[in-house]
Amino acid sequence: MLLRLDTSATTEIGSTPRGALSIFPVTGGSFEGERLRGKVLAGGGDWVTAKGDGTFELDLRVTLETDDGALIHMTFTGVRDDANHYFRTLPRFETAAPQYAFLNRLLAVGIGQIGPEGPVHAIEEIL
């Protein structure tokens, strides 16, 4: 699926023992794939830690709402290395909706990029 995120002003936590922590509030967005589509609900965020080696450690948590009203909790961890054009994520999903139960046991990988409209992630199921 293709996941597009809308974010608002960043909250800078500052330098921590693990690196410089910033929080990117997620205010909305959309997702679309072969088996599901819908919108990203406001209230999530991406906790991004800038590491000393120039890479970023990602920790995203959002709620997806499908076109048929089901709610899906989505998280991912990831690594972004702008110098080497590398942006990869490991999404996981959790839902109580029977029609999307396959997501609870699905493993996936994502390739991200920061576009002019915000972050965009191409997420593929590992078969």
Side-chain angles (χ1 to χ4, degrees):
M1 74 177 180
L2 195 62
L3 172 71
R4 290 181 170 87
L5 298 172
D6 300 328
T7 60
S8 63
T10 306
T11 301
E12 300 293 339
I13 302 300
S15 184
T16 73
R18 294 184 54 233
L21 177 60
S22 303
I23 302 171
F24 293 80
V26 173
T27 58
S30 64
F31 61 96
E32 184 171 346
E34 291 179 21
R35 295 184 277 179
L36 66 163
R37 66 187 38 81
K39 63 183 177 181
V40 179
L41 300 181
D46 194 359
W47 286 255
V48 178
T49 303
K51 309 298 275 184
D53 63 0
T55 63
F56 299 90
E57 187 177 279
L58 313 172
D59 178 8
L60 178 96
R61 303 166 205 167
V62 295
T63 302
L64 310 177
E65 182 178 3
T66 63
D67 284 350
D68 59 357
L71 296 177
I72 301 165
H73 175 63
M74 178 184 157
T75 63
F76 69 57
T77 58
V79 175
R80 192 177 104 207
D81 180 353
D82 295 341
N84 293 298
H85 308 288
Y86 187 85
F87 191 164
R88 303 295 185 267
T89 61
L90 297 170
R92 294 301 309 258
F93 305 90
E94 192 173 354
T95 186
Q99 68 272 36
Y100 300 111
F102 68 92
L103 291 169
N104 293 323
R105 57 188 174 274
L106 181 139
L107 293 178
V109 294
I111 298 175
Q113 64 181 23
I114 307 296
E117 304 283 318
V120 178
H121 300 271
I123 298 171
E124 297 286 340
E125 177 181 6
I126 297 175
L127 300 175

